[in-house]
Amino acid sequence: MADFAHSTLGQSSYPRLTRSLSAVESWGFGLTAHISWTALVPAIHAALGSQAIFVWIPAVILGMLLNYQVKRLGLHFINVAGGTPNYATKLLQHYPGLARYAAIGYLLNWVSYLSVNTIVLRDLIKVNLETLGITCPDIFLDISFTLLPFIVAFSGTRALSILHLFFIIPAFALLMTFCVQGLSWLTFSPVSPGFFPSSWSSLSFVDWAKWFFFVTYATYSCETASSFVADSRYPTQTLRFLDVAAWMMPPIFLGGSWVVMRLATNPNLKDNAFLNLVAASRPFWGRFAGVSVSFLLVAACLLGSATVVSNCPRILYQLALDNHISPVFSVVSRRGVFVPALTLTLVLCLIYLIWGDVARIVAVGNIGWFVSFMLLHLGLWLRRDRPEILFPRISLAILVLEVVVLLVGGFAWGWLNLLIGLLFPIGVIGIDAVIRRVNFPAFHPDWWMRRYRTRPVVIIKDSVILQVSILIFLLCSAVAVGWLFGVKLNKVATAGGENIFVVLLMSVAFVGVAIACWTSLPQVVAIAEARVAAEHLFTVAQDGILVVDDRGIIRQANPATESFFGVNPSELRGNHLNKWLPALVYYPEQWTKRSEQILIGNGKNRTLEVSISDRPHLDFQEYVVILHDITQRKQAEQILRYSEAQLRQEAKQLISQLVHSEKMSSLGQLVAGVAHEINNPVNFISGNITYANQYIQDLLRLLQLYQKNYPNPAKEIQQETEVIDLDFLIADLPNLLTSMTVGAERITEIVLSLRNFSRLDDAEMKAVNIHEGIDNTLMILEHRLKPKSNNLAIEVIKEYSDLPLVECYAGQLNQVFMNLLANAIDALEESLIISHSSFATGIDAPAASRRVGQIRIHTQLTNQKQVVICISDNGLGIPEDVQKRLFEPFFTTKPIGKGTGLGLSISYQIITQKHRGKLQCISTPGQGTEFVIVIPLNQQTF
């Protein structure tokens, strides 16, 4: 799926999100908004009573439509993190100011959610602690519950997502039970007050707009799972959960609100979430209502905070990638920690805590949130022609409704809060502008990247001591805290002790995971990484690696052992190693640490170097056996030891071949000299034949005049005429002169070809016609292309492209053409010989050998200004093992005296070193061979 646009930063080398989250983990974050319903319903219920349902119904419908639209956007922006606000920036890419404002407004509402959760938890714990006679400073609780999710988030993404998933499942199940069981009790219980109220109070539009503005805090946030698409292993499954989240809204937001509205009717409950939910659930939960509601409220707060520290950094991360904010927020560690983004989130959260109470925080945070969705619907309308936009006209209608609700509802919550909420995103954008311009190291991505790439200076070699010490400390602390609370609970016989237990239980779980993230989990991750690295080395090692027990029985074998023993590694397990290496005695403790063993297999003896090391464990003993094949080394030693005389003889042959090669290199000079010497007399003969022909024609005309005017010559003249056969002489002499002219012209062409082929005047690089060099080479080899005895002629097919002049060393390049064409002719002659011999003996020859010999020469110029010359034949082809050695010096498959093995080697050096090109052989046995030359058109600019 393609994005609308990507910034330059998005293509940078900074670490990117790894798809490490499972689909289930990302689903857990998508249920946070449903749980947050527990904190919202008491307030609207206290204000509107039964009329609250008319606020929830349209809010739920719009929320469900939003989920479907966000799902479609997510499928289009499959690699975009942060979800809805970052989709809005894509839709509003032509309006970067509005796009940035929409994303920051969305972010600030989530940050406010964490601050509200902190205050709610502080009040809940403080009330319960006071009943036990325990006092705790507000500042301590505020800081503790604010930092708690950040401590886990700063240690990595996976721990936080697993912790969130662990508690969200029972909390959501309990909430669904509350809704379903409550509705069932209202419907079927004989003591039910009735499913519907007996009367309905009136609801003004101002009140409706005010509380619609309020409840969108939950109904618009059920698309949170989309924030984790970029680091989900199964992004489409993550987005598919948005459908589920949408259909979970009616039973919770509508069904749960209806239960509270019908059962929590005492006006003294006011807007206290705990009291309202306990009152609503006590009829069907009985004495378990208090502890269940406590668990729901604490889960809503802690899980909401965990979602905030997971969601907000991803929003900032994607904004930085898209160049909407400072690039420092795009930095993420390899463990998935967004340190700069988390730091900014923490700072904003502390600002909320210091600045206001719950009502003010919610009002201010929700304004930027509401404006963010207004701008999202505006972007959907502006991009209505795009296939990822589902309901463009509905989006326009929702936008108009939201504008009215913002004006009416926003002023209903207070004009000052409305103004602050509208200006707060601008203030955050100003903070980002300062970060961009201040020359402080921590404000630049490179500073963080250097820290991530640097290994820790202090490495704990024995982490067991540290882990055990921490475990002892935690156990002692848990026992001490438990004893303290037990004493207090015994002294104060009051209800509600189980409530503080629930708070304590979930808080300790978060604290325990936070401590583990900073102590044990890094060690576990390091061990897992070391195990994966060891398994990788074990798998990719070229040497055979075996693990045997103390009796020599093979327990493990890596894939490389199959090439040694010729059996699958799984078949080795359970067998004794001396089954293949008989020299090894039964018990490994008696084996030599390093030895050479003979392995017999497939009829061949192989020499293995066997290294053995013991690997003691607490409960058993293992041995690691490493097998290294040294057969070739042994053979090389034997050759060096027993073939010294042969090497000397080969050295003499090599010297002879080099001398021959040097003579051949001088042949060009000789050819050029001979051509020059022949050229002068040939030019003399060729130039005089024309005049001789003219003179003879004149003499013949004069003779014809004599015959005409003196028809009866003297007897002596008649006798001489008969002797020389004058008539034949007159008829044949012009033919003779014509043959001499043709011969002289042929000699001239040959001399020209010799001179062009030798190219003595082309010692320097020049721009030449490649086709001319090929044609001259073919002319020299023309005698080999003609038919001989019973063999057919070799057909040359030229497929020349329109090439410009090519910069090259023409003489050396002609030598390459000569070598390749001569080899092609040799291959075709060999093919014809095999064909005739096979025909004579009645054996069916390969198809390639029965075809007419063809040499195909193809040239072309590529778009990269590379000249390609392909010379192919339809001979027998070259076996694969021979192809690998074609360009080695002195390697030849021809009989002694037929070739030196230097032609292709020299050609390879000329092309690759002199012309900085490539020479490649492509051959299929039975189908022919093709040599491909690739050289630059202009050597000077290469």
Side-chain angles (χ1 to χ4, degrees):
M1 300 292 179
D3 295 349
F4 287 147
H6 293 280
S7 64
T8 304
L9 182 62
Q11 311 299 329
S12 67
S13 60
Y14 299 139
R16 293 292 168 252
L17 295 181
T18 57
R19 296 192 178 275
S20 58
L21 296 181
S22 65
V24 178
E25 292 172 50
S26 60
W27 294 351
F29 290 111
L31 294 173
T32 301
H34 300 74
I35 303 293
S36 69
W37 166 86
T38 56
L40 298 180
V41 65
I44 185 173
H45 168 64
L48 301 180
S50 59
Q51 297 295 330
I53 197 67
F54 298 110
V55 177
W56 281 109
I57 290 174
V60 167
I61 293 174
L62 296 187
M64 294 177 69
L65 292 176
L66 178 66
N67 264 36
Y68 281 103
Q69 178 60 77
V70 171
K71 175 188 174 183
R72 177 67 70 90
L73 292 173
L75 292 173
H76 185 74
F77 303 113
I78 199 69
N79 294 314
V80 173
T84 304
N86 297 103
Y87 300 158
T89 61
K90 300 291 185 182
L91 296 173
L92 297 169
Q93 62 174 342
H94 299 303
Y95 307 94
L98 290 178
R100 190 180 300 113
Y101 185 93
I104 297 299
Y106 184 101
L107 170 81
L108 289 175
N109 184 66
W110 272 103
V111 175
S112 71
Y113 186 35
L114 193 151
S115 304
V116 170
N117 291 334
T118 298
I119 296 174
V120 171
L121 281 174
R122 178 242 291 167
D123 293 342
L124 181 62
I125 291 178
K126 188 176 179 181
V127 169
N128 284 277
L129 287 179
E130 287 176 353
T131 61
L132 300 177
I134 301 174
T135 59
C136 188
D138 290 354
I139 187 66
F140 173 76
L141 293 175
D142 287 344
I143 293 176
S144 298
F145 283 108
T146 299
L147 294 180
L148 183 57
F150 282 97
I151 293 174
V152 182
F154 272 107
S155 65
T157 301
R158 288 302 307 280
L160 189 63
S161 64
I162 294 171
L163 174 65
H164 187 281
L165 181 65
F166 183 83
F167 283 107
I168 196 68
I169 293 176
F172 184 77
L174 184 62
L175 181 58
M176 285 295 296
T177 302
F178 169 84
C179 298
V180 175
Q181 193 172 356
L183 291 173
S184 301
W185 190 89
L186 283 172
T187 304
F188 301 108
S189 175
V191 295
S192 168
F195 195 85
F196 294 101
S198 57
S199 62
W200 298 88
S201 58
S202 61
L203 178 65
S204 67
F205 179 76
V206 174
D207 287 337
W208 181 90
K210 174 181 178 180
W211 290 102
F212 179 86
F213 176 81
F214 180 79
V215 299
T216 55
Y217 192 80
T219 59
Y220 275 8
S221 58
C222 293
E223 35 61 82
T224 311
S226 63
S227 182
F228 303 89
V229 170
D231 46 355
S232 171
R233 292 200 295 268
Y234 308 100
T236 54
Q237 293 185 20
T238 296
L239 290 169
R240 196 175 298 126
F241 183 74
L242 293 181
D243 297 342
V244 179
W247 286 102
M248 289 296 102
M249 294 167 67
I252 293 176
F253 294 151
L254 300 182
S257 299
W258 193 260
V259 172
V260 174
M261 180 189 73
R262 297 298 296 132
L263 296 179
T265 56
N266 189 341
N268 295 326
L269 300 176
K270 298 182 180 180
D271 61 351
N272 187 290
F274 178 78
L275 296 178
N276 275 271
L277 291 174
V278 168
S281 59
R282 184 169 287 127
F284 49 88
W285 278 352
R287 64 187 182 89
F288 296 103
V291 67
S292 300
V293 171
S294 296
F295 176 75
L296 275 177
L297 290 175
V298 175
C301 293
L302 290 178
L303 296 177
S305 299
T307 303
V308 170
V309 297
S310 300
N311 188 18
C312 292
R314 284 167 173 78
I315 297 173
L316 293 171
Y317 164 83
Q318 190 64 47
L319 287 175
L321 284 187
D322 295 337
N323 206 28
H324 288 296
I325 60 175
S326 172
V328 71
F329 297 110
S330 68
V331 176
V332 54
S333 73
R334 298 189 184 278
R335 292 173 58 191
V337 181
F338 307 82
V339 177
L342 281 170
T343 303
L344 178 61
T345 304
L346 177 59
V347 171
L348 295 175
C349 181
L350 294 176
I351 291 174
Y352 270 124
L353 276 176
I354 296 171
W355 174 68
D357 54 13
V358 172
R360 181 180 294 179
I361 292 174
V362 171
V364 171
N366 207 29
I367 289 170
W369 166 268
F370 204 76
V371 174
S372 174
F373 282 97
M374 290 170 51
L375 294 175
L376 171 67
H377 288 113
L378 174 62
L380 293 173
W381 171 251
L382 293 175
R383 306 305 293 266
R384 56 187 177 274
D385 57 332
R386 301 289 299 184
E388 61 273 14
I389 308 303
L390 282 179
F391 322 109
R393 295 188 178 181
I394 295 178
S395 297
L396 179 61
I398 295 174
L399 172 61
V400 174
L401 175 65
E402 287 170 339
V403 172
V404 175
V405 169
L406 177 65
L407 295 176
V408 177
F411 276 105
W413 284 102
W415 69 269
L416 183 60
N417 290 334
L418 176 62
L419 181 61
I420 295 174
L422 293 174
L423 294 178
F424 201 180
I426 299 176
V428 175
I429 294 174
I431 294 174
D432 172 68
V434 173
I435 292 175
R436 286 174 181 260
R437 288 169 174 76
V438 173
N439 189 19
F440 182 65
F443 291 167
H444 299 279
D446 293 340
W447 185 82
W448 292 98
M449 298 309 303
R450 286 194 297 270
R451 290 178 61 85
Y452 289 152
R453 294 192 185 104
T454 305
R455 289 180 174 270
V457 178
V458 180
I459 300 176
I460 302 175
K461 295 183 177 180
D462 189 0
S463 62
V464 176
I465 296 177
L466 177 62
Q467 307 304 319
V468 173
S469 301
I470 293 173
L471 180 61
I472 293 172
F473 172 77
L474 291 177
L475 288 175
C476 294
S477 301
V479 171
V481 172
W483 177 80
L484 176 62
F485 275 92
V487 171
K488 294 291 184 180
L489 288 173
N490 288 330
K491 289 182 178 180
V492 182
T494 180
E498 65 275 11
N499 299 339
I500 193 65
F501 168 74
V502 171
V503 177
L504 182 64
L505 178 65
M506 295 195 65
S507 301
V508 168
F510 269 74
V511 172
V513 172
I515 294 175
C517 289
W518 289 93
T519 55
S520 303
L521 284 184
Q523 302 297 327
V524 173
V525 172
I527 292 172
E529 291 176 347
R531 177 182 58 81
V532 171
E535 291 177 351
H536 177 71
L537 292 175
F538 184 77
T539 302
V540 303
Q542 297 299 311
D543 289 341
I545 302 176
L546 301 168
V547 178
V548 300
D549 60 15
D550 55 355
R551 296 178 301 154
I553 303 299
I554 299 173
R555 298 304 179 190
Q556 284 182 280
N558 72 331
T561 54
E562 185 171 358
S563 64
F564 287 87
F565 301 111
V567 296
N568 191 281
S570 60
E571 300 177 14
L572 295 174
R573 302 186 190 115
N575 295 290
H576 199 284
L577 184 56
N578 64 9
K579 179 178 180 180
W580 290 274
L581 301 176
L584 295 178
V585 294
Y586 194 76
Y587 294 104
E589 62 183 10
Q590 302 175 9
W591 295 349
T592 306
K593 296 297 182 184
R594 187 181 295 271
S595 62
E596 295 180 3
Q597 304 290 334
I598 302 298
L599 174 65
I600 302 176
N602 299 326
K604 297 181 180 179
N605 293 345
R606 300 173 67 182
T607 305
L608 303 182
E609 184 180 64
V610 181
S611 303
I612 302 168
S613 62
D614 56 346
R615 189 171 65 175
H617 295 269
L618 293 178
D619 301 323
F620 57 91
Q621 181 80 15
E622 281 186 340
Y623 296 85
V624 177
V625 181
I626 301 177
L627 308 176
H628 181 63
D629 191 349
I630 59 172
T631 304
Q632 292 184 354
R633 190 181 76 188
K634 285 295 185 180
Q635 292 174 350
E637 291 176 354
Q638 185 177 4
I639 291 174
L640 290 175
R641 189 178 299 112
Y642 298 109
S643 302
E644 184 178 352
Q646 181 180 354
L647 289 174
R648 281 199 296 267
Q649 182 64 30
E650 291 179 356
K652 291 180 181 179
Q653 294 177 0
L654 177 60
I655 293 173
S656 175
Q657 291 172 351
L658 291 175
V659 171
H660 176 69
S661 177
E662 183 64 27
K663 290 180 179 179
M664 293 302 294
S665 66
S666 302
L667 181 60
Q669 297 180 356
L670 177 61
V671 169
V674 171
H676 178 72
E677 293 300 327
I678 295 175
N679 190 50
N680 288 335
V682 167
N683 286 339
F684 175 78
I685 294 172
S686 178
N688 288 326
I689 284 178
T690 302
Y691 298 106
N693 185 37
Q694 180 180 350
Y695 298 159
I696 291 173
Q697 293 296 332
D698 293 341
L699 291 175
L700 290 177
R701 284 195 302 272
L702 180 61
L703 180 61
Q704 290 172 353
L705 289 174
Y706 269 100
Q707 288 178 336
K708 180 179 180 182
N709 295 303
Y710 298 98
N712 299 313
K715 186 177 181 179
E716 184 179 359
I717 294 175
Q718 291 179 0
Q719 291 177 351
E720 186 64 25
T721 299
E722 293 175 357
V723 170
I724 64 175
D725 196 356
L726 180 61
D727 293 336
F728 173 78
L729 186 147
I730 294 173
D732 191 54
L733 185 58
N735 296 334
L736 178 63
L737 290 174
T738 301
S739 298
M740 293 175 63
T741 303
V742 172
E745 290 176 352
R746 175 64 177 160
I747 294 173
T748 302
E749 291 176 357
I750 293 174
V751 169
L752 179 61
S753 297
L754 289 174
R755 293 191 61 182
N756 289 336
F757 178 79
S758 63
R759 291 283 188 180
L760 279 182
D761 55 339
D762 286 350
E764 299 295 330
M765 185 177 297
K766 290 184 178 181
V768 299
N769 187 341
I770 290 291
H771 296 154
E772 181 181 330
I774 297 175
D775 291 339
N776 290 331
T777 305
L778 288 172
M779 179 170 289
I780 295 173
L781 295 171
E782 185 174 359
H783 68 287
R784 297 193 61 189
L785 301 174
K786 295 179 179 179
K788 298 177 182 178
S789 64
N790 294 327
N791 293 344
L792 298 175
I794 296 175
E795 180 183 2
V796 178
I797 301 174
K798 300 178 183 179
E799 298 175 348
Y800 291 168
S801 300
D802 187 11
L803 294 182
L805 298 181
V806 181
E807 287 187 357
C808 63
Y809 295 98
Q812 296 183 13
L813 199 58
N814 287 342
Q815 185 179 356
V816 173
F817 296 152
M818 176 66 77
N819 288 330
L820 297 183
L821 289 169
N823 283 344
I825 294 171
D826 291 342
L828 292 173
E829 289 177 348
E830 182 182 357
S831 173
L832 292 172
I833 292 172
I834 292 176
S835 176
H836 291 160
S837 62
S838 300
F839 178 78
T841 57
I843 300 175
D844 189 20
S849 65
R850 297 197 301 270
R851 294 194 296 264
V852 176
Q854 286 184 351
I855 296 177
R856 187 179 300 273
I857 305 173
H858 173 79
T859 62
Q860 70 177 42
L861 180 65
T862 67
N863 294 333
Q864 291 76 29
K865 299 300 181 181
Q866 301 276 339
V867 178
V868 180
I869 307 157
C870 302
I871 300 176
S872 60
D873 64 71
N874 61 343
L876 295 177
I878 302 174
E880 185 176 354
D881 56 337
V882 175
Q883 291 183 41
K884 298 177 181 178
R885 303 186 60 192
L886 273 183
F887 302 117
E888 294 181 8
F890 309 114
F891 174 76
T892 181
T893 58
K894 298 178 182 178
I896 298 176
K898 290 287 186 178
T900 63
L902 291 172
L904 289 179
S905 175
I906 294 173
S907 299
Y908 186 80
Q909 293 177 0
I910 291 173
I911 296 300
T912 59
Q913 297 179 12
K914 291 289 188 178
H915 294 86
R916 303 179 186 179
K918 297 179 182 178
L919 176 58
Q920 183 182 6
C921 174
I922 304 171
S923 180
T924 302
Q927 297 183 14
T929 303
E930 181 179 21
F931 283 90
V932 181
I933 301 171
V934 182
I935 60 174
L937 179 64
N938 299 306
Q939 292 284 333
Q940 302 301 328
T941 59
F942 182 71

